[in-house]
Amino acid sequence: MAEQTALADIRSDDGGKTDAAVVRDALAVGVAVGLSGFAFGVTSAGSGLTLLQTCALSLLVFTGASQFALVGALAAGGNPLTAAAGAFFLGVRNAFYGLRLSQLLALPRAVRPFAAQWVIDETTAVALAQPTRRATRIGFAVTGLSLYILWNLTTLLGQLGAQAIGDTAAWGLDAAGPAVFLALLAPMLKTTTERAVAGLAVLLGLGLLPVLPAGVPVLAAALAAPAVLCLEGRRRGTSHGHARVDSASDAEGSDADGSDAEGEEAR
């Protein structure tokens, strides 16, 4: 009886997904993404940040997109305040993740401030993919812990390696950060709207790069999202308007046909 109870505890409600399977999937994500900390460490070194500053970013900020945006803008000669603003706007999305995860995880109040540090793209994706609250908590915790440890470790190693080889630009390592950022972003662009936002953001960022100070084009590229969503809303409104007009025309046509039929019968 005890064995049956233990077996029931480790299985999910959707037909037998074990805790071990959740841990395996979470570790796969944590390890795969955590290794990109090497690229951040190298990029940060190329931007002029010290070892302490680089490690502090990974320990305290811990959101790859914002970290890459910050050091990328600094490497391009941007103003630190502008670079920080761009990183901040990229990190705002995590607040919306937290609203959803707070309902799914239902953690005690004392634990929530610590769990908030791990609310990022990867932990959210793994947590939302789970069928039960137990599996959601396991997936979130394992992904967050493995990614946090590995990201910070590889950040340290990347920074030390960059210092050892000297000029990162001479080795082409200054392109590692943007390449990793694009590799993380590309799989998330699943809909036409998302691809349109990304495409317009690229055009704005590259087009404004020669005329605006470093770091500002990144902020300007953020305008792509509301612009595309506005156009999408107008397009849908127009299509719905045409649909209503067509429906009304069909209805009038039906009424006219009915009137003609009645007239024929009367004759």
Side-chain angles (χ1 to χ4, degrees), residues 49-150:
L49 295 184
T50 65
L51 176 63
L52 180 60
Q53 290 171 331
T54 299
C55 292
L57 275 174
S58 284
L59 286 169
L60 301 177
V61 178
F62 187 55
T63 173
S66 296
Q67 291 178 234
F68 276 119
L70 175 63
V71 298
L74 292 176
N79 184 284
L81 293 178
T82 303
F88 172 78
F89 283 119
L90 280 174
V92 166
R93 71 192 188 284
N94 294 334
F96 296 99
Y97 295 159
L99 294 175
R100 178 59 177 151
L101 288 179
S102 65
Q103 299 174 348
L104 296 177
L105 297 172
L107 297 174
R109 291 185 179 272
V111 179
R112 291 179 185 178
F114 302 97
Q117 178 69 356
W118 291 352
V119 177
I120 55 177
D121 296 331
E122 293 76 20
T123 55
T124 302
V126 172
L128 292 178
Q130 307 310 319
T132 64
R133 176 163 292 168
R134 175 183 173 84
T136 299
R137 288 178 171 178
I138 293 174
F140 176 84
V142 173
T143 305
L145 180 62
S146 60
L147 182 51
Y148 189 76
I149 292 175
L150 191 56

Side-chain angles (χ1 to χ4, degrees), residues 11-254:
R11 292 193 178 277
S12 65
D13 297 336
D14 69 334
K17 187 175 182 180
T18 64
D19 290 352
V22 178
V23 171
R24 183 184 65 246
D25 294 342
L27 282 175
V29 174
V31 172
V33 179
L35 292 175
S36 62
F38 281 112
F40 172 70
V42 171
T43 306
S44 183
S47 69
L49 295 184
T50 65
L51 176 63
L52 180 60
Q53 290 171 331
T54 299
C55 292
L57 275 174
S58 284
L59 286 169
L60 301 177
V61 178
F62 187 55
T63 173
S66 296
Q67 291 178 234
F68 276 119
L70 175 63
V71 298
L74 292 176
N79 184 284
L81 293 178
T82 303
F88 172 78
F89 283 119
L90 280 174
V92 166
R93 71 192 188 284
N94 294 334
F96 296 99
Y97 295 159
L99 294 175
R100 178 59 177 151
L101 288 179
S102 65
Q103 299 174 348
L104 296 177
L105 297 172
L107 297 174
R109 291 185 179 272
V111 179
R112 291 179 185 178
F114 302 97
Q117 178 69 356
W118 291 352
V119 177
I120 55 177
D121 296 331
E122 293 76 20
T123 55
T124 302
V126 172
L128 292 178
Q130 307 310 319
T132 64
R133 176 163 292 168
R134 175 183 173 84
T136 299
R137 288 178 171 178
I138 293 174
F140 176 84
V142 173
T143 305
L145 180 62
S146 60
L147 182 51
Y148 189 76
I149 292 175
L150 191 56
W151 177 268
N152 282 280
L153 177 60
T154 53
T155 293
L156 173 63
L157 296 177
Q159 172 82 2
L160 292 175
Q163 291 179 355
I165 65 175
D167 186 10
T168 57
W171 294 80
L173 296 179
D174 54 328
V180 172
F181 183 79
L182 290 176
L184 294 175
L185 177 64
M188 302 179 187
L189 306 178
K190 298 179 180 179
T191 66
T192 303
T193 301
E194 291 170 349
R195 296 189 187 100
V197 170
L200 181 57
V202 170
L203 292 176
L204 287 174
L206 294 179
L208 296 175
L209 191 60
V211 296
L212 293 178
V216 177
V218 175
L219 299 178
L223 298 175
V228 171
L229 291 176
C230 181
L231 292 175
E232 181 72 10
R234 289 185 177 181
R235 186 185 65 82
R236 290 181 178 178
T238 302
S239 62
H240 289 165
H242 288 322
R244 287 194 294 269
V245 171
D246 292 341
S247 298
S249 299
D250 292 341
E252 291 176 358
S254 298

